[in-house]
Amino acid sequence: MLLAVLLATTLPAWSAETLADAWRQALSVDARLRAADAEADAARATHEAARGLALPKATASSSYTMLSREPAALIGLPPIPGVTLPDQMPLSERNYATHALQATLPVYTGGRISAAVNAAEAGVQASGFERTRSEQAIKLDVAETYLNVLRARSALAAAERHLAALDAHAADVAELGKQGLVARNDILSVAVAQADARQRLTQARNAAELAAAAYNRLLGRPLDNPVDIAEPAANSTARPDIAALEARARGLRPEIALLGAHAEATDHEAEMERAGTRPQVGIKAAVLHEDNRYRVNQDVAQLMVGVQWDLFDGNVQHRRADAAAARARAARERQDDAASLIALEVRKEWLAVGEADERLATTRTALAQADENLRVARDRYRNGVGTHTEVLDAEALRSLTDSNHLNAHYDLHLAQLRLKKAVGEL
């Protein structure tokens, strides 16, 4: 006894998993979020690569040349009597090695490098918005499966209550049957109702197990892992102003920002193409070493300033710039369309919250009335005033009302979460 008291005071009490717990677990294992993180890593690496375009580039190279003949030059000296003069002078060995260490630095690229950096920065921003979108989609998926587990288990409990009520009524019918006060048809009909209730109970039990398996899958757990989750806390049913919600959604929804980032990146890509039509200026420095005995100086240093300007390329780069600009316009048009669709989505979920709230209030009252109706019908039947059919109808009505009430309860929670997702606040 003392050990049990000590354990109770020293060990933390076990608590059921909350929706926030489920979100943390799912976000740590979901492949969609890992893919989004990988895309973000790729975007950051692309940005660093673009910034590196402005830095000096150093290269080292070696080559070995083999010629069919030694290069030579004609001397053409005037003849000297009695002296035989060579008419050629070798310039290089037939086989020789060359080693070079060189560095290049872009001086002016017409804005190509800065445009590449800006495009990559927009890509980094886009990857962040994409990750946010994936995270919110995952959280809504988890919330739906979480509530589905609770809904299915509540439906299972309702099916058990329905069968228990029919069993109790069957006992009443059997007792009256022993007294010869009811027809055999009553006994048979209640048996049929019990069989139907048992079938529905089996279906509800399977639905609850399937809901738990779907929940475990999203959290990266074995499908048959035990699921112990808590009922979500009641949220305020006060409905905020729809215009304010739509305004918040325009500023928060990652889909709108994502399309804007894509448009900005494509604008910079168009500028990169236009920069290719401008002069490109660079500096190149090199140290060369040639293993050639005919060279007086085998080590040579050089410094060059180069300018390259493609005067005509068949308008290829101009057309590529036009294509990129057109893609940017298309992205902005899609952004406007997305804003309109998001406003419609916000309004739809806002209305769904109001509908579920009204249904919950209605079914709460109806459930109390259905319970009272069933009690009265059973009392009338026991007293020989009511009919067996009245009891079965009252129980069926109470079961339907029970189902409507629990659906309204979880529909309200789900509608509130979907509204947060539509606004961009989930």
Side-chain angles (χ1 to χ4, degrees):
M1 182 65 181
L2 180 59
L3 177 60
V5 173
L6 290 175
L7 290 175
T9 56
T10 56
L11 294 179
W14 171 260
S15 59
E17 191 170 49
T18 65
L19 183 55
D21 297 331
W23 279 341
R24 282 192 293 271
Q25 173 64 22
L27 292 176
S28 68
V29 300
D30 196 281
R32 288 171 291 177
L33 200 61
R34 292 201 303 270
D37 288 337
E39 293 291 346
D41 291 341
R44 286 189 289 269
T46 301
H47 179 240
E48 292 301 319
R51 294 178 59 185
L53 294 173
L55 301 177
K57 307 297 185 296
T59 59
S61 61
S62 294
S63 62
Y64 189 78
T65 304
M66 293 181 291
L67 304 175
S68 60
R69 297 179 182 178
E70 284 188 347
L74 293 175
I75 298 177
L77 296 175
I80 300 176
V83 179
T84 303
L85 297 175
D87 58 353
Q88 294 182 354
M89 181 180 66
L91 299 177
S92 172
E93 295 184 63
R94 190 167 66 87
N95 301 326
Y96 60 91
T98 304
H99 310 284
L101 180 63
Q102 59 185 10
T104 58
L105 177 67
V107 176
Y108 174 75
T109 62
R112 178 176 56 85
I113 294 177
S114 59
V117 172
N118 293 334
E121 286 178 353
V124 172
Q125 293 175 353
S127 68
F129 297 134
E130 183 62 46
R131 190 189 192 282
T132 301
R133 182 173 70 168
S134 298
E135 181 176 336
Q136 292 186 355
I138 293 167
K139 291 176 74 173
L140 183 60
D141 288 347
V142 171
E144 288 179 348
T145 58
Y146 186 98
L147 293 175
N148 280 344
V149 172
L150 295 173
R151 188 195 301 267
R153 289 180 174 177
S154 296
L156 175 60
E160 291 171 342
R161 288 194 299 271
H162 179 55
L163 179 58
L166 289 175
D167 289 343
H169 178 58
D172 292 342
V173 172
E175 182 62 30
L176 293 175
K178 292 177 183 178
Q179 302 173 20
L181 299 177
V182 296
R184 178 171 171 75
N185 183 62
D186 288 0
I187 298 175
L188 294 176
S189 61
V190 74
V192 172
Q194 284 177 294
D196 180 70
R198 290 190 186 95
Q199 176 182 326
R200 294 178 183 273
L201 178 61
T202 300
Q203 293 173 337
R205 187 177 293 112
N206 289 339
E209 291 183 4
L210 183 60
Y215 175 76
N216 281 327
R217 188 192 73 83
L218 283 183
L219 271 62
R221 296 169 177 168
L223 296 184
D224 57 353
N225 197 68
V227 174
D228 182 17
I229 57 178
E231 282 283 340
N235 294 322
S236 172
T237 57
R239 297 169 72 195
D241 179 67
I242 182 61
L245 290 177
E246 291 175 353
R248 290 216 302 271
R250 284 192 294 271
L252 294 176
R253 279 293 290 266
E255 292 86 347
I256 297 177
L258 176 62
L259 289 169
H262 282 322
E264 182 181 354
T266 313
D267 276 336
H268 292 307
E269 290 173 6
E271 181 57 29
M272 287 172 59
E273 296 294 342
R274 295 189 190 98
T277 65
R278 303 179 186 124
Q280 308 292 305
V281 181
I283 296 176
K284 179 177 180 181
V287 176
L288 306 175
H289 173 80
E290 187 174 298
D291 290 333
N292 192 328
R293 67 175 183 273
Y294 294 114
R295 296 289 188 188
V296 175
N297 297 309
Q298 293 188 347
D299 296 315
V300 178
Q302 65 179 21
L303 179 65
M304 296 180 291
V305 177
V307 179
Q308 180 178 332
W309 192 355
D310 295 335
L311 298 177
F312 181 73
D313 65 350
N315 279 334
V316 171
Q317 290 186 316
H318 280 294
R319 295 296 174 259
R320 287 176 178 171
D322 292 342
R327 288 195 298 272
R329 292 197 306 272
R332 289 190 171 87
E333 292 295 337
R334 287 193 293 270
Q335 187 181 29
D336 292 340
D337 184 61
S340 175
L341 289 174
I342 286 171
L344 180 61
E345 181 184 353
V346 170
R347 185 171 294 270
K348 172 188 172 185
E349 302 304 339
W350 180 78
L351 291 172
V353 170
E355 176 190 337
D357 188 33
E358 292 179 9
R359 284 170 49 210
L360 183 61
T362 301
T363 57
R364 186 182 294 115
T365 303
L367 186 60
Q369 294 169 340
D371 287 337
E372 178 63 16
N373 180 53
L374 176 61
R375 187 191 65 78
V376 171
R378 292 186 66 181
D379 286 344
R380 282 169 53 83
Y381 183 74
R382 288 169 182 157
N383 294 323
V385 179
T387 66
H388 166 67
T389 304
E390 288 178 352
V391 177
L392 291 183
D393 289 345
E395 171 53 30
L397 183 61
R398 190 203 64 83
S399 178
L400 176 62
T401 306
D402 195 9
S403 176
N404 290 339
H405 178 67
L406 73 90
N407 280 328
H409 172 72
Y410 292 112
D411 285 347
L412 177 58
H413 281 288
L414 185 56
Q416 290 171 332
L417 289 168
R418 285 176 173 168
L419 180 58
K420 287 185 177 181
K421 165 67 167 55
V423 175
E425 296 177 335
L426 188 62

